[in-house]
């Protein structure tokens, strides 16, 4: 921490009691600030000249007050390092109360390695390119971009950049007018849950395997979830007519977590169901950018932009910490989505929206995705090859795309493998953690290997830990 | 827009129909993309080499498909500018439907000048310093800062920087553990409204003059608002015991919009009421950094950190577009606030949180606030001096701090002055717009002059427009 503020003129708030001499009041105020811990031990005080100017009093008054407190031991003064609150001054307030302590996350003594799915390699975030895009975006931004948002959809610069990108790379029909920016996929799903409840929808079909936090989010919004069966060809959308659902949440490009791509026949079945019943399809295109051996699988939204709400995110292609997502919304639904979002725009800040727009426009986004695709593909190849000889692994699924694969295990092996992984200091999830609680799919023993997660520097040790966990 | 993506390898999604010749399939897919408008006229296609590599087909196949579509008129090829979608290719989709058009904000043919309160001078946002702080913050950030948030309070780096700043400059008792970051004041108020409703609070006292959007936010959360009377010494907190309210929303440092600072006696009355009844004080410290002639007025929170929820924001000190706010929460309330915030963190992205932390730590925040304080003070002086001779102005209130003053007007003058301002192309608000609908305060005719709003370049013309509107 650079403590340059004394030089540059920092603010120091002091309650000068009324009706006392200036010097006495200032002395007491400083003493109280040090005694109470409001000014932490070691804090550097403004120079007497600077504080005197702030308070519009004589510099000598400040110097005398400082001297008195140094004499009392509350402050220390040393040539060259200025006047500071003495280290022995102890704060009034006790340590944080138990309530606060309980909500504090546990100290990070977690596993040494992680293959938990759902994260990109954060070590490869293009920091320098992102900072450069921020600088360019800020240079070009109009003043009003920094003001209160006037459009609940988010900045038009980013919606235009995304419209071009999504059409080109993901086969999405996306006009900027129908794009609504949000703070990641979960935020978009929450908005859609609100819209569905406002339309009096009660039931949403989901995939038999999926993320519990997404199911919980729907449940908390007052919706019931109904699991569709699924197989290597994705969710059984032919079951939709029997569910009574008003909407379905799908991961068509790469089923999460089992890894299949929804087949053309099943895509058609989903769209037919939506057209016949007036239902909505929520398309979670979480890792559509990352496909390897096969023909790219376009977004389902291209089949019927009036019945599909497309949801995308920068969480896998760049980093979840950006809190940046987007929805492409059917015309007829736009007003409802914006009403759910509300006047107060919780979207990411304007600077990050403008930065991502510049990042896409300049080609840096394509460049980053392409580079990551090659890295992830090498990691996938390494996993697939390394486990090919393991007796416990009966199959590898979902290898064509994404940032994870599913290793099917011999019966009874999921729990022992997870325990062995924990013993190796490796965070790893079993497939059963993703199973919908009421699905009648046969139990499947497998582990989900999020090979995208480790930084490059930890990759080979992480892979070794995985192999050591697999008999 | 730099179209460098063809060089760097852009993604182009194509649906190649199965069971057809590769070249025929590619040709049809490109034709359909151009015909349907998915690829906008003018879009530059990847080079044939790059697309061939993407699709793992022969370059010649791509080149032949391109040539065929050029012959058909769907594409154009020109030396040096590559292959593009022809301008005459017309999109399939019609213009956005009326629904979408309605929600689009009207074209900005608004007033030429604005003295609407609530915004800082966006033209003075420290763009270069902010971009530099982003670069430094990104360089220093640990990888996991870019991942999913593990602490619903927000990044610890920013909470630590804020704790030091708020203690020093605003007299707030703020440990990083009790700071919760949010996306601006309104987000924080919404979280507190949820907490109050969960505690079965039904009634909240508010100031007789205030922002309607804050009152509406409380009302939409299911709370009733009760106006306190107020005068030049702030809100009449001695009225609190009669309201039956479970909480009170106050602007102690600088009443918004009437401009008084809550007196020590009234501060004590608010705290006494809170201690006696178990009520909560929500302190909106929206512009506490900006004070001019008088002794700085510290935060009310310093009087009783267990009964006051302190809410601050970067919206006035830096820019609303950052969507950055913070709450300092009593220990006993922390878990409830985090439960209201939810697992899914809508806070500003990690990069902006880290940037603000670095901005504060490096001294840039103090430097910016100090510089803006001098500019705003000069503007305030200019307004006060300029209106001193106007017959229609009977008083000037709230001049000691903040980014606005209130000009009291002779009876019957508020509406004519606002009309004259509109005629001058000047956006200006009357005080009556801020009046609580059920307050029994006597009507007060005045205009609220947000002198912080104009960029420097527009300041003198804006002031002239104001003067021309005042008889």
């Amino acid at each position: 921490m650079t403590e340059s503020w004394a030089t540059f003129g920092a603010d120091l708030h002091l309650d000068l009691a009324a009706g006392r001499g200036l010097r006495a009041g200032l002395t007491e105020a400083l003493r109280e600030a040090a005694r109470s811990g409001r000014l932490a031990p070691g804090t550097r005080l403004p120079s007497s000249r600077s504080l005197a100017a702030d308070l519009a009093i004589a510099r000598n008054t400040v110097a005398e007050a400082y001297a008195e407190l140094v004499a009392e031991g509350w402050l220390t003064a040393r040539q060259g390092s200025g006047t500071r609150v003495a280290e022995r001054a102890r704060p009034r307030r006790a340590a944080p109360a138990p309530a606060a302590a309980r909500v504090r996350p546990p100290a990070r003594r977690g596993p040494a390695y992680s293959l938990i799915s759902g994260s990109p390699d954060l070590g490869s975030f293009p920091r320098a390119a992102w900072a450069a895009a921020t600088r360019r975006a800020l240079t070009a931004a109009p003043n009003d971009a920094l003001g209160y948002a006037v459009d609940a959809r988010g900045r038009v610069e980013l919606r235009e950049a995304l419209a071009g990108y999504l059409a080109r790379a993901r086969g999405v029909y996306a006009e900027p007018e129908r794009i609504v920016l949000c703070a990641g996929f979960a935020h978009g799903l929450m908005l859609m849950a609100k819209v569905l409840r406002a339309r009096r929808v009660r039931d949403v079909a989901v995939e038999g395997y999926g993320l519990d936090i997404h199911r919980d989010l729907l449940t908390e919004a007052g919706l019931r979830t109904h699991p569709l069966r699924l197989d290597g060809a994705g969710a059984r959308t032919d079951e939709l007519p029997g569910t009574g659902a008003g909407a379905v949440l799908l991961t068509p490009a790469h089923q999460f977590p089992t890894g299949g791509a929804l087949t053309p026949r099943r895509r058609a079945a989903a769209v037919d169901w939506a057209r016949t019943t007036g239902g909505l399809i929520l398309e979670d295109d979480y890792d559509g950018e990352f496909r390897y051996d096969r023909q790219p699988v376009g977004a389902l939204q291209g089949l019927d932009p009036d019945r599909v709400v497309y949801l995308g995110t920068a969480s896998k292609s760049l980093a979840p910490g950006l809190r940046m997502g987007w929805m492409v919304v059917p015309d007829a639904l736009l007003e409802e989505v914006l009403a759910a979002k509300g006047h107060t725009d919780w979207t990411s800040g304007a600077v990050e929206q403008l930065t991502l727009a510049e990042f896409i426009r300049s080609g840096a986004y394509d460049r980053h995705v392409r580079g990551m695709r090659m890295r992830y593909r090498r990691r996938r190849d390494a996993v697939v090859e390394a486990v090919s000889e393991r007796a416990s692994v009966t199959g590898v699924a979902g290898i064509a795309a994404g940032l994870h694969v599913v290793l099917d295990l011999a019966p009874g092996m999921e729990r022992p493998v997870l325990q062995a992984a924990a013993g190796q200091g490796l965070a790893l999830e079993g497939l059963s953690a993703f199973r919908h609680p009421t699905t009648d799919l046969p139990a499947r023993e497998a582990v989900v290997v999020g090979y995208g997660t480790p930084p490059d520097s930890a990759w080979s040790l992480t892979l070794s830990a995985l192999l050591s966990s697999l008999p």
Side-chain angles (χ1 to χ4, degrees), chain A:
Chain A
M1 173 164 170
T2 54
E3 283 178 327
S4 45
W5 52 268
T7 312
F8 297 114
D11 273 1
L12 174 69
H13 173 73
L14 293 172
D15 288 306
L16 296 199
R20 310 183 56 172
L22 262 181
R23 185 185 134 190
L26 176 61
T27 309
E28 176 51 32
L30 284 167
R31 190 189 291 116
E32 171 56 22
R35 175 167 38 210
S36 67
R38 186 158 74 72
L39 291 177
T43 299
R44 184 173 179 170
L45 296 178
S47 69
S48 56
R49 185 181 55 79
S50 170
L51 186 58
D54 264 11
L55 300 176
I57 60 182
R59 180 174 175 181
N60 226 27
T61 309
V62 177
E64 286 166 10
Y66 277 10
E68 180 168 340
L69 292 164
V70 168
E72 291 178 13
W74 292 108
L75 304 180
T76 59
R78 249 201 308 262
Q79 194 68 32
S81 86
T83 307
R84 290 174 186 271
V85 178
E87 290 294 340
R88 75 156 188 72
R90 283 270 61 95
R92 178 192 74 161
R93 290 182 66 83
R102 272 205 305 286
V103 295
R104 199 177 322 160
R108 304 263 298 173
R109 296 233 174 280
Y113 309 109
S114 174
L115 287 168
I116 299 291
S117 62
S119 175
D121 169 6
L122 301 171
S124 297
F125 181 77
R127 296 174 185 226
W130 188 263
T134 299
R135 186 177 45 70
R136 293 196 305 271
L138 271 173
T139 303
N143 283 344
D144 65 2
L146 300 164
Y148 286 98
V150 294
D151 191 326
R153 290 175 295 198
R155 290 299 304 175
V156 66
E157 295 89 339
L158 178 52
R159 290 186 286 113
E160 283 175 352
L162 281 169
Y165 173 78
L166 293 173
R168 172 165 62 76
R170 301 295 305 132
V172 172
Y173 285 100
E175 297 85 23
E177 292 77 16
R178 296 191 299 115
I179 295 183
V180 178
L181 304 177
C182 51
F185 173 80
H187 184 203
L189 183 60
M190 193 196 74
L191 295 179
M192 284 312 304
K194 272 198 204 178
V195 167
L196 292 171
R197 286 298 294 131
R199 290 188 156 211
R200 306 198 178 282
V201 168
R202 285 303 309 268
D203 299 279
V204 175
V206 299
E207 297 166 325
Y209 281 88
L211 266 184
D212 55 354
I213 55 170
H214 295 168
R215 293 193 297 259
D216 291 349
L217 201 150
L218 295 171
T219 308
E220 281 162 24
L223 294 158
R224 290 182 295 235
T225 64
H226 295 269
L228 298 176
R229 276 176 285 182
L230 53 77
D231 53 33
R236 291 279 301 274
T237 50
D238 54 308
E239 292 178 352
L240 277 170
T243 59
V248 59
L249 173 61
L250 293 173
T251 50
H254 187 227
Q255 203 282 326
F256 188 87
T258 65
L262 198 64
T263 58
R265 184 188 300 267
R266 291 190 182 174
R267 290 174 176 236
V271 169
D272 287 347
W273 163 82
R275 288 176 178 163
T276 310
T277 64
L280 280 174
I281 300 169
L282 312 181
E283 175 170 26
D284 176 5
D285 195 35
Y286 64 105
D287 67 359
E289 279 95 349
F290 297 110
R291 70 270 178 319
Y292 308 114
D293 317 302
R294 69 178 181 210
Q295 188 58 37
V297 177
L300 174 57
Q301 192 261 11
L303 281 186
D304 193 340
D306 293 326
R307 303 249 48 99
V308 180
V309 178
Y310 174 91
L311 297 120
T313 170
S315 295
K316 311 296 186 265
S317 56
L318 282 164
L322 296 179
R323 307 309 317 131
M324 200 83 77
W326 43 86
M327 316 166 69
V328 186
V329 177
D331 281 337
L333 219 59
L334 186 54
E335 281 180 288
E336 291 163 68
V337 170
L338 294 180
K341 201 176 178 202
H343 307 294
T344 322
D345 190 2
W346 306 142
T347 317
S348 315
V351 177
E352 287 197 324
Q353 293 182 45
L354 297 174
T355 300
L356 180 55
E358 169 61 23
F359 202 76
I360 295 172
R361 269 200 309 259
S362 68
Y365 189 87
D366 280 276
R367 209 149 56 234
H368 177 67
V369 165
R370 179 161 293 229
M372 293 312 295
R373 195 184 290 144
M374 290 192 295
R375 289 189 195 207
Y376 290 141
R377 181 179 178 151
R378 281 197 295 269
R379 290 189 184 184
R380 180 209 60 170
D381 291 347
V383 172
V384 172
E385 188 188 329
V387 304
S388 63
E389 303 283 300
R390 298 284 153 166
S392 56
V393 176
T394 59
V396 185
I399 65 171
L403 309 180
H404 70 275
V405 292
V406 173
L407 305 183
D408 280 294
L409 300 173
M413 289 305 295
E414 183 176 313
R415 185 183 298 257
V417 166
L418 293 180
Q419 283 169 342
Q424 296 283 333
L426 172 66
L428 187 67
E429 285 168 314
L431 186 62
S432 51
F434 298 93
R435 187 181 163 88
H436 191 287
T438 68
T439 183
D440 58 2
L441 281 165
R444 179 174 169 189
E445 300 212 38
V447 288
V448 180
V449 175
Y451 55 78
T453 302
D456 270 350
S457 58
W459 170 242
S460 62
L461 286 172
T462 306
L463 184 56
S464 299
L466 175 66
L467 293 175
S468 304
S469 313
L470 295 168

